Amino acid sequence: MCNLYTMRRSAAEVAAHFRIENPVASNAVDEVYPGTPGMVVREHVGARVMQSMVWGFPLRLKGMSPTAKLKPVNNIADLTKPMWVGLARKPQWRCLIPLTGFAEAEGPKGAKTRTWFTVKDQPLFAWAGLWRISDEWGPVYSGVMTDCNEAIRPVHDRMPVLLHADEYDQWLNGSFDEALDFQNRCFPDELIEMTRTNELWVKRKAPPLEGLALA
Protein backbone atom coordinates (compact mmCIF):
# COMPACT_ATOMS: atom_id res chain seq x y z
CA MET A 1 0.00 0.00 0.00
CA CYS A 2 1.40 3.37 -0.99
CA ASN A 3 0.42 6.25 1.31
CA LEU A 4 3.17 8.73 0.53
CA TYR A 5 4.97 9.86 -2.60
CA THR A 6 6.91 12.89 -3.80
CA MET A 7 6.56 15.06 -6.90
CA ARG A 8 9.54 17.40 -6.82
CA ARG A 9 9.52 18.73 -10.35
CA SER A 10 8.15 21.96 -11.80
CA ALA A 11 5.06 22.20 -13.96
CA ALA A 12 7.33 22.93 -16.92
CA GLU A 13 9.36 19.77 -16.31
CA VAL A 14 6.21 17.67 -16.02
CA ALA A 15 4.85 19.19 -19.22
CA ALA A 16 8.05 18.41 -21.10
CA HIS A 17 8.22 14.83 -19.85
CA PHE A 18 4.58 14.02 -20.60
CA ARG A 19 4.38 16.07 -23.84
CA ILE A 20 1.85 18.58 -22.54
CA GLU A 21 1.57 21.74 -24.65
CA ASN A 22 0.03 24.04 -22.05
CA PRO A 23 1.35 23.46 -18.52
CA VAL A 24 -0.69 24.93 -15.67
CA ALA A 25 0.17 25.93 -12.13
CA SER A 26 -0.82 23.44 -9.43
CA ASN A 27 -1.66 23.63 -5.73
CA ALA A 28 -0.15 20.17 -5.23
CA VAL A 29 2.60 19.91 -2.62
CA ASP A 30 5.90 18.09 -3.11
CA GLU A 31 5.03 15.39 -0.54
CA VAL A 32 1.63 13.91 -1.34
CA TYR A 33 -0.53 12.11 1.23
CA PRO A 34 -4.02 10.56 0.94
CA GLY A 35 -6.65 13.27 0.92
CA THR A 36 -4.27 16.00 -0.28
CA PRO A 37 -3.81 17.51 -3.77
CA GLY A 38 -1.56 15.85 -6.31
CA MET A 39 -0.75 16.51 -9.95
CA VAL A 40 -2.37 14.24 -12.54
CA VAL A 41 -1.92 13.87 -16.30
CA ARG A 42 -4.93 12.79 -18.37
CA GLU A 43 -6.20 13.12 -21.92
CA HIS A 44 -8.85 15.60 -23.05
CA VAL A 45 -10.00 15.90 -26.66
CA GLY A 46 -6.99 13.97 -27.87
CA ALA A 47 -4.36 15.99 -26.00
CA ARG A 48 -2.67 15.47 -22.66
CA VAL A 49 -3.47 17.94 -19.91
CA MET A 50 -2.24 18.30 -16.34
CA GLN A 51 -4.59 18.94 -13.45
CA SER A 52 -4.55 19.10 -9.67
CA MET A 53 -6.86 16.54 -8.01
CA VAL A 54 -7.36 15.05 -4.55
CA TRP A 55 -5.52 11.77 -3.98
CA GLY A 56 -8.19 9.24 -3.04
CA PHE A 57 -11.78 8.46 -3.96
CA PRO A 58 -14.18 9.48 -1.13
CA LEU A 59 -15.67 6.53 0.72
CA ARG A 60 -18.13 6.51 3.59
CA LEU A 61 -17.70 3.30 5.54
CA LYS A 62 -20.68 1.42 6.92
CA GLY A 63 -21.68 2.70 10.32
CA MET A 64 -19.95 6.07 9.92
CA SER A 65 -21.76 9.13 11.19
CA PRO A 66 -23.17 11.41 8.46
CA THR A 67 -20.90 14.14 9.81
CA ALA A 68 -17.76 11.96 9.95
CA LYS A 69 -14.88 12.65 7.58
CA LEU A 70 -14.87 10.51 4.47
CA LYS A 71 -12.00 8.10 3.88
CA PRO A 72 -9.84 8.53 0.75
CA VAL A 73 -9.37 5.28 -1.18
CA ASN A 74 -5.99 6.07 -2.68
CA ASN A 75 -4.86 2.59 -3.82
CA ILE A 76 -6.55 0.21 -6.29
CA ALA A 77 -5.89 -3.44 -5.50
CA ASP A 78 -7.95 -5.02 -8.31
CA LEU A 79 -9.20 -3.29 -11.47
CA THR A 80 -11.90 -5.94 -11.96
CA LYS A 81 -13.74 -5.10 -8.72
CA PRO A 82 -17.08 -3.23 -8.98
CA MET A 83 -15.75 0.08 -7.64
CA TRP A 84 -13.13 0.29 -10.40
CA VAL A 85 -14.08 -1.82 -13.41
CA GLY A 86 -16.49 0.68 -14.96
CA LEU A 87 -13.84 3.38 -14.95
CA ALA A 88 -11.00 1.07 -15.98
CA ARG A 89 -12.89 -0.05 -19.08
CA LYS A 90 -13.13 3.55 -20.34
CA PRO A 91 -9.82 5.18 -21.33
CA GLN A 92 -11.13 8.67 -20.56
CA TRP A 93 -10.99 7.82 -16.84
CA ARG A 94 -7.40 6.58 -16.88
CA CYS A 95 -4.59 8.89 -15.86
CA LEU A 96 -0.87 9.12 -15.22
CA ILE A 97 0.36 10.10 -11.77
CA PRO A 98 3.73 11.92 -12.03
CA LEU A 99 6.12 11.19 -9.17
CA THR A 100 9.77 11.36 -8.23
CA GLY A 101 9.66 8.63 -5.56
CA PHE A 102 7.36 6.70 -3.24
CA ALA A 103 7.79 5.56 0.35
CA GLU A 104 6.87 2.58 2.50
CA ALA A 105 7.01 2.33 6.28
CA GLU A 106 9.67 0.03 7.69
CA GLY A 107 10.60 -0.93 11.24
CA PRO A 108 8.90 -1.62 14.59
CA LYS A 109 5.51 -0.21 15.49
CA GLY A 110 5.82 3.28 16.91
CA ALA A 111 9.26 3.80 15.38
CA LYS A 112 8.67 3.13 11.70
CA THR A 113 10.87 5.00 9.26
CA ARG A 114 10.50 6.00 5.64
CA THR A 115 12.09 3.80 3.00
CA TRP A 116 12.10 5.46 -0.40
CA PHE A 117 11.94 3.89 -3.85
CA THR A 118 12.86 5.51 -7.14
CA VAL A 119 13.33 4.35 -10.72
CA LYS A 120 16.96 4.16 -11.87
CA ASP A 121 17.99 7.05 -14.13
CA GLN A 122 14.42 8.41 -14.11
CA PRO A 123 14.15 11.63 -12.07
CA LEU A 124 10.47 11.74 -13.07
CA PHE A 125 8.27 8.73 -13.83
CA ALA A 126 4.60 7.69 -13.86
CA TRP A 127 2.19 5.57 -11.83
CA ALA A 128 -0.91 4.20 -13.56
CA GLY A 129 -4.12 5.62 -12.12
CA LEU A 130 -7.84 6.20 -12.48
CA TRP A 131 -9.73 9.43 -11.89
CA ARG A 132 -13.29 10.69 -11.68
CA ILE A 133 -15.29 13.71 -10.56
CA SER A 134 -16.76 13.31 -7.08
CA ASP A 135 -19.58 15.28 -5.48
CA GLU A 136 -17.60 15.60 -2.26
CA TRP A 137 -14.09 16.65 -3.33
CA GLY A 138 -14.34 17.42 -7.03
CA PRO A 139 -11.78 15.66 -9.29
CA VAL A 140 -10.11 12.74 -7.47
CA TYR A 141 -7.63 10.02 -8.42
CA SER A 142 -6.30 6.71 -7.14
CA GLY A 143 -3.21 4.66 -8.03
CA VAL A 144 -3.22 1.09 -9.30
CA MET A 145 -1.26 -1.43 -7.20
CA THR A 146 0.29 -4.80 -8.05
CA ASP A 147 2.38 -7.53 -6.44
CA CYS A 148 5.85 -6.31 -5.54
CA ASN A 149 9.01 -7.31 -7.33
CA GLU A 150 12.04 -8.73 -5.53
CA ALA A 151 13.63 -5.29 -5.11
CA ILE A 152 10.71 -4.11 -2.96
CA ARG A 153 9.87 -7.41 -1.24
CA PRO A 154 12.16 -6.80 1.78
CA VAL A 155 9.90 -3.89 2.73
CA HIS A 156 6.42 -4.57 1.31
CA ASP A 157 4.49 -7.15 -0.71
CA ARG A 158 2.74 -4.58 -2.93
CA MET A 159 3.92 -1.75 -5.16
CA PRO A 160 2.51 0.87 -7.55
CA VAL A 161 1.99 -0.08 -11.20
CA LEU A 162 4.90 1.88 -12.66
CA LEU A 163 5.00 2.73 -16.36
CA HIS A 164 7.85 3.21 -18.79
CA ALA A 165 7.64 6.39 -20.88
CA ASP A 166 6.85 4.42 -24.04
CA GLU A 167 3.86 2.83 -22.26
CA TYR A 168 2.01 6.03 -21.36
CA ASP A 169 -0.17 6.00 -24.49
CA GLN A 170 -1.01 2.33 -24.05
CA TRP A 171 -2.23 2.91 -20.49
CA LEU A 172 -4.21 5.99 -21.44
CA ASN A 173 -5.77 4.63 -24.63
CA GLY A 174 -5.39 0.85 -24.64
CA SER A 175 -8.03 -1.84 -24.21
CA PHE A 176 -9.26 -3.06 -20.85
CA ASP A 177 -7.24 -6.26 -21.32
CA GLU A 178 -4.12 -4.17 -21.88
CA ALA A 179 -4.85 -2.25 -18.68
CA LEU A 180 -5.16 -5.55 -16.78
CA ASP A 181 -1.85 -6.70 -18.24
CA PHE A 182 -0.11 -3.78 -16.55
CA GLN A 183 -1.54 -4.81 -13.18
CA ASN A 184 -0.49 -8.42 -13.69
CA ARG A 185 3.10 -7.82 -14.77
CA CYS A 186 6.24 -7.51 -12.65
CA PHE A 187 8.25 -4.28 -12.94
CA PRO A 188 11.99 -5.03 -13.51
CA ASP A 189 13.94 -5.46 -10.25
CA GLU A 190 17.05 -3.82 -11.65
CA LEU A 191 15.23 -0.54 -12.28
CA ILE A 192 14.22 -0.02 -8.63
CA GLU A 193 16.54 1.85 -6.28
CA MET A 194 15.87 1.74 -2.52
CA THR A 195 17.01 4.29 0.06
CA ARG A 196 16.48 3.58 3.75
CA THR A 197 16.31 6.64 6.02
CA ASN A 198 16.08 7.51 9.71
CA GLU A 199 13.16 9.84 9.02
CA LEU A 200 10.17 8.85 11.14
CA TRP A 201 7.12 7.81 9.14
CA VAL A 202 4.74 9.78 11.38
CA LYS A 203 6.67 13.04 11.15
CA ARG A 204 4.53 14.81 8.58
CA LYS A 205 4.16 18.41 7.51
CA ALA A 206 0.39 18.27 7.89
CA PRO A 207 -1.85 15.58 9.37
CA PRO A 208 -3.25 13.77 6.30
CA LEU A 209 -6.31 11.61 6.12
CA GLU A 210 -5.79 7.89 6.54
CA GLY A 211 -5.66 6.24 3.14
CA LEU A 212 -7.37 3.04 2.13
CA ALA A 213 -6.87 0.37 -0.48
CA LEU A 214 -10.09 -1.18 -1.67
CA ALA A 215 -9.78 -4.60 -3.31
Side-chain angles (χ1 to χ4, degrees):
M1 184 172 181
C2 182
N3 283 331
L4 169 62
Y5 71 89
T6 56
M7 221 307 292
R8 295 189 172 120
R9 290 292 181 271
S10 68
E13 289 174 299
V14 173
H17 180 85
F18 290 95
R19 304 197 310 272
I20 296 168
E21 292 186 0
N22 299 305
V24 297
S26 169
N27 64 341
V29 294
D30 60 358
E31 285 193 354
V32 188
Y33 302 94
T36 64
M39 190 181 295
V40 170
V41 174
R42 63 182 181 88
E43 285 207 354
H44 178 67
V45 195
R48 291 181 187 172
V49 297
M50 52 195 296
Q51 182 177 353
S52 178
M53 302 183 186
V54 173
W55 185 23
F57 283 31
L59 176 69
R60 186 176 297 280
L61 299 175
K62 185 177 181 180
M64 285 178 62
S65 164
T67 59
K69 289 184 178 180
L70 300 178
K71 299 289 186 179
V73 184
N74 56 294
N75 289 174
I76 301 168
D78 187 347
L79 288 170
T80 67
K81 295 297 184 180
M83 182 171 180
W84 311 111
V85 67
L87 296 172
R89 287 185 180 279
K90 299 176 181 179
Q92 65 264 36
W93 299 116
R94 298 183 203 151
C95 64
L96 305 170
I97 305 168
L99 69 165
T100 54
F102 62 94
E104 295 291 354
E106 187 175 21
K109 186 176 180 180
K112 291 184 181 295
T113 55
R114 298 177 179 185
T115 295
W116 289 94
F117 297 95
T118 56
V119 176
K120 186 177 181 180
D121 298 326
Q122 293 294 325
L124 178 63
F125 51 101
W127 178 7
L130 299 177
W131 77 283
R132 70 173 175 87
I133 299 174
S134 70
D135 292 334
E136 299 87 353
W137 300 336
V140 295
Y141 69 100
S142 190
V144 184
M145 302 296 288
T146 187
D147 292 336
C148 72
N149 59 18
E150 293 305 312
I152 291 176
R153 193 173 303 282
V155 178
H156 206 281
D157 62 356
R158 302 286 283 170
M159 67 179 289
V161 172
L162 304 178
L163 300 170
H164 303 289
D166 61 0
E167 296 172 334
Y168 295 168
D169 280 330
Q170 187 179 10
W171 171 256
L172 290 173
N173 298 298
S175 68
F176 180 56
D177 286 341
E178 288 175 309
L180 293 181
D181 286 343
F182 282 117
Q183 191 168 40
N184 293 327
R185 76 165 183 193
C186 188
F187 195 77
D189 298 331
E190 64 273 15
L191 295 184
I192 294 293
E193 295 183 331
M194 177 172 65
T195 303
R196 288 187 164 100
T197 73
N198 294 322
E199 186 180 7
L200 291 177
W201 180 261
V202 296
K203 189 178 180 180
R204 299 168 176 171
K205 292 182 180 180
L209 297 170
E210 182 182 358
L212 297 175
L214 196 65

